[in-house]
């Protein structure tokens, strides 16, 4: 779907979109259109429950005086309180409303208004960005879908003063959407298409953007002593992989600024649970158990695409957890790259084993100034937070605050959860240094985070994001169609932009 910008004007075809503030106050352009149509907009408003509240919409068949197909009135609410994410939601909601309307093209008419601190070109770019994000479809396998079942809308033109400036702002945002769409694609692909080697191939393609990509296989990881990660993948015919991506956007930086920020993603490309096998119902969802790694590769594409002035390393730890005759057994004891030993009491608590070695590797190899890991790690975090927030665990208050701020700005919200010695002792073990599950079901997301913290060097700022509840959605949201969400790409891109560039 194409987003374009044009100087203010009134197109004579397609749909028209204009705004209305609270208390039924028409925007300047909507007021002009109302006058042109002999008061048709005001009459439609008075004959409905539409008030101009943010998110409301009122569709009107275009009056005879216009050659357009329809007019869509959108509620803007109190413009002084509108945040950037509200504008993105507006653009996404407009696209969703008209995508299947039959119109091929629509025009959104925007003008500067009193009371808004956001320049009109920025508001226009954010509306376009929201429409772009909402237009995503994963339909490559729908070979029988009829033309009339597909969205008719192909182009959104936003009419605004200084359209070239809005175009430039959207161009920057599109680099981020490129990363989001890559993440959504990978999370949506079935496990017979995306497995450790094919995922690694997707990462190698990013070398075209200037990202250095290295892939370690079983032999290299065995030499490094990654017994925790390799133990998870030993039951699969697919070789495990560790993808290492480096973006050096600040080569002349000095001191701490020269050190990279590290992002580490769990990449279990399919999770049967191993010998501790999952129930059959819903197991097909485990194709997206590589969501954390999917976010990391999407983030790297976004950062490189917009040429972020920061040094970043992205690690994707990729395995397939399968139950064959060579699979890891409950009761096995493995030695991690850190030298710590782990008794595996449940082979379905595998993500933390994969991340343990990846966290050790990134610290020993790169000495990062901060680490954020992402994983679809526990069902327990969904019980705690539902599908609205990601669970945030951290040893550093400043990093936590930075992530929370970035989450509020982008709409990818996080909620801090506790860590502490009381939870840590629940993974103590008689047979090894630790066990891979807690004692009982209580605090499952917390004990998983406590496990990961044991692999973080003292003094290293670290945050763990449990994205199990937000990596996939069964319902549409304004800028996120149901399916793979790409949650985390925007969050971490904003984190980098706010704190490390």
């Amino acid at each position: 779907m194409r987003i374009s910008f044009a100087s203010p004007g009134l197109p004579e075809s397609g749909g028209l979109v204009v705004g209305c503030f609270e208390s039924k106050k028409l925007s300047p352009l909507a007021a002009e259109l109302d006058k042109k149509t002999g008061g048709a907009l005001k009459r439609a408003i008075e004959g409905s429950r539409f008030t101009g509240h943010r998110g409301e919409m009122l569709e009107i068949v275009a009056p005879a005086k216009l050659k357009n197909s329809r007019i869509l009135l959108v509620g803007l609410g109190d413009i002084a309180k509108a945040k950037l994410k509200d504008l993105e939601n507006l653009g996404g909601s407009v696209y969703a409303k008209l995508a299947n309307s039959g119109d091929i093209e629509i025009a959104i008419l925007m003008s500067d208004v009193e009371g808004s601190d956001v320049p009109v070109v920025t508001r226009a770019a954010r509306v376009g960005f929201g429409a772009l994000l909402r237009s995503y479809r994963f339909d490559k396998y729908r070979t029988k879908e009829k033309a009339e079942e597909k969205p008719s809308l192909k182009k959104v033109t936003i009419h605004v003063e200084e359209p070239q400036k809005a175009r430039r702002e959207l161009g920057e945002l599109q680099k981020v959407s490129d990363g989001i769409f890559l993440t959504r694609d990978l999370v949506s692909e079935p496990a017979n298409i995306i497995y450790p080697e094919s995922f690694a191939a997707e990462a190698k393609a990013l070398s075209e953007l200037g990202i250095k990509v290295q892939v370690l296989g079983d032999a290299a990881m065995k030499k490094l002593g990654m017994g925790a990660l390799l133990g998870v993948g030993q039951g699969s015919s697919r070789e495990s992989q560790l993808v290492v991506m480096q973006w050096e956007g600040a080569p002349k930086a000095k001191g701490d600024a020269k050190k990279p920020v590290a992002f580490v993603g769990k990449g279990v490309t399919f999770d049967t649970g191993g010998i501790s096998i999952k129930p059959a119902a819903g197991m097909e969802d485990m194709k997206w158990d590589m969501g954390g790694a999917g976010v990391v590769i999407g983030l790297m594409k976004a950062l490189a695409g917009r040429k972020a002035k920061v040094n970043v390393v992205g690690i994707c730890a990729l395995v397939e957890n399968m139950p064959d005759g060579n699979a890891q057994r409950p009761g096995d004891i493995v030695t991690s790259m850190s030298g710590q030993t782990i008794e595996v009491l449940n082979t379905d608590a595998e993500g933390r084993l994969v991340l343990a070695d990846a966290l050790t590797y990134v610290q020993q190899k790169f000495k990062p100034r901060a680490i954020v890991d992402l994983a679809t790690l526990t069902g327990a975090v969904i019980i705690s937070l539902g599908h609205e927030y990601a669970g945030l665990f951290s040893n550093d208050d400043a990093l936590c605050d930075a992530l929370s701020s970035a989450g509020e700005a982008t709409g990818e919200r996080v909620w801090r959860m506790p860590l502490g010695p009381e939870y840590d002792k629940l993974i103590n073990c008689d047979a090894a240094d630790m066990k891979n599950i807690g004692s009982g079901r209580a605090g499952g997301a917390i004990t998983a985070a406590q496990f990961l913290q044991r692999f973080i060097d003292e003094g290293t700022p670290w945050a763990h994001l449990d994205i199990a509840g937000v990596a996939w959605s069964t319902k549409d949201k304004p800028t996120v169609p149901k399916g793979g969400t790409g949650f985390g790409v925007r969050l971490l891109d904003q984190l980098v932009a706010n704190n490390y560039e």
Side-chain angles (χ1 to χ4, degrees):
M1 208 266 300
R2 181 184 170 195
I3 308 290
S4 64
F5 297 88
S7 297
L10 185 63
E12 293 188 350
S13 63
L16 298 177
V17 182
V18 290
C20 181
F21 305 116
E22 284 183 337
S23 301
K24 304 180 183 181
K25 181 182 177 182
L26 294 174
S27 69
L29 288 174
E32 287 184 24
L33 190 59
D34 184 58
K35 185 176 180 180
K36 185 178 179 66
T37 59
L41 273 64
K42 288 184 178 179
R43 287 196 301 273
I45 291 173
E46 293 305 320
S48 72
R49 293 185 174 181
F50 181 87
T51 64
H53 183 73
R54 183 178 297 128
E56 288 184 334
M57 292 189 182
L58 177 61
E59 187 174 356
I60 308 166
V61 175
K65 294 181 181 181
L66 294 181
K67 296 181 180 179
N68 306 87
S69 59
R70 73 197 74 238
I71 299 170
L72 181 66
L73 268 173
V74 295
L76 302 176
D78 184 348
I79 195 66
K81 296 180 181 179
K83 299 178 181 179
L84 294 180
K85 63 183 179 182
D86 296 323
L87 296 163
E88 294 164 3
N89 287 343
L90 186 152
S93 297
V94 166
Y95 174 84
K97 178 72 173 179
L98 299 179
N100 297 297
S101 65
D103 281 331
I104 297 174
E105 180 176 357
I106 62 170
I108 300 176
L109 310 184
M110 298 188 67
S111 61
D112 210 351
V113 292
E114 294 182 3
S116 175
D117 294 331
V118 182
V120 66
V121 292
T122 297
R123 289 192 287 116
R126 291 291 176 158
V127 168
F129 185 47
L132 180 63
L133 291 176
R134 186 64 173 82
S135 70
Y136 174 85
R137 295 184 89 222
F138 187 76
D139 58 3
K140 62 187 289 188
Y141 299 114
R142 298 183 191 177
T143 63
K144 299 295 185 182
E145 191 175 27
K146 298 177 181 178
E148 60 268 24
E149 296 172 341
K150 298 179 181 181
S152 62
L153 189 56
K154 305 298 181 186
K155 183 180 179 182
V156 174
T157 301
I158 301 175
H159 291 256
V160 65
E161 295 284 354
E162 299 185 287
Q164 68 281 1
K165 288 186 178 181
R167 191 177 299 115
R168 283 197 295 270
E169 288 199 28
L170 179 62
E172 285 291 303
L173 295 169
Q174 281 181 308
K175 302 301 182 183
V176 180
S177 70
D178 289 343
I180 295 170
F181 287 4
L182 174 59
T183 298
R184 289 178 180 177
D185 282 347
L186 293 174
V187 169
S188 300
E189 288 281 7
N192 61 316
I193 302 298
I194 289 297
Y195 44 88
E197 298 98 326
S198 61
F199 189 110
E202 294 284 343
K204 289 178 182 177
L206 298 186
S207 60
E208 297 178 359
L209 297 176
I211 297 174
K212 297 179 181 178
V213 183
Q214 180 186 14
V215 179
L216 306 183
D218 282 352
M221 287 188 283
K222 185 175 182 180
K223 189 174 181 179
L224 289 169
M226 293 187 175
L229 185 155
L230 292 173
V232 175
Q234 73 187 41
S236 174
S237 60
R238 308 285 194 185
E239 183 179 358
S240 299
Q241 310 270 274
L242 188 78
V243 173
V244 184
M245 296 171 285
Q246 292 176 260
W247 169 249
E248 296 177 351
K252 297 181 180 180
K254 297 180 180 179
D256 284 344
K258 190 172 183 64
K259 295 179 180 179
V261 184
F263 299 98
V264 180
K266 168 191 170 183
V268 181
T269 58
F270 195 78
D271 182 22
T272 66
I275 296 299
S276 306
I277 197 164
K278 294 177 180 291
M283 193 190 290
E284 68 277 5
D285 289 345
M286 289 300 97
K287 68 178 184 178
W288 49 260
D289 207 20
M290 37 60 67
V295 171
V296 171
I297 189 175
L299 173 66
M300 296 300 290
K301 183 171 185 177
L303 294 174
R306 67 175 184 82
K307 300 190 183 303
K309 295 177 176 61
V310 63
N311 297 330
V312 176
V313 58
I315 306 290
C316 297
L318 307 167
V319 302
E320 190 177 59
N321 188 19
M322 300 292 283
D324 88 337
N326 192 46
Q328 187 165 253
R329 297 155 292 265
D332 282 2
I333 295 177
V334 296
T335 301
S336 67
M337 183 181 176
S338 70
Q340 298 178 87
T341 57
I342 306 157
E343 184 178 22
V344 180
L345 296 183
N346 188 323
T347 65
D348 193 25
E350 83 300 329
R352 63 204 72 183
L353 300 173
V354 172
L355 286 174
D357 282 339
L359 290 169
T360 299
Y361 177 86
V362 77
Q363 290 172 97
Q364 292 186 7
K365 178 77 172 178
F366 297 102
K367 310 296 184 196
R369 53 175 159 160
I371 302 173
V372 179
D373 76 69
L374 302 96
T376 50
L377 203 63
T378 68
V381 81
I382 304 175
I383 302 302
S384 299
L385 300 175
H387 299 280
E388 305 304 324
Y389 287 79
L392 166 61
F393 303 82
S394 182
N395 63 3
D396 187 271
D397 291 342
L399 181 55
C400 258
D401 290 344
L403 281 163
S404 295
S405 177
E408 288 301 318
T410 59
E412 295 187 343
R413 298 175 298 176
V414 298
W415 191 267
R416 191 173 189 179
M417 304 281 281
L419 292 169
E422 302 87 352
Y423 297 107
D424 191 64
K425 69 181 182 181
L426 297 177
I427 58 172
N428 287 339
C429 178
D430 294 333
D433 294 326
M434 69 195 84
K435 55 189 177 182
N436 76 324
I437 55 173
S439 300
R441 299 180 63 186
I446 303 172
T447 54
Q450 290 287 170
F451 180 97
L452 296 176
Q453 189 176 33
R454 292 196 180 194
F455 297 88
I456 300 299
D457 296 338
E458 187 174 351
T460 300
W462 158 79
H464 160 60
L465 297 177
D466 193 333
I467 60 171
V470 292
W472 188 271
S473 179
T474 57
K475 62 181 181 180
D476 293 325
K477 296 183 178 180
T479 61
V480 184
K482 64 181 179 180
T485 65
F487 182 108
V489 176
R490 293 194 65 194
L491 168 70
L492 299 181
D493 177 78
Q494 191 76 46
L495 173 76
V496 170
N498 288 352
N499 300 278
Y500 299 109
E501 288 192 75

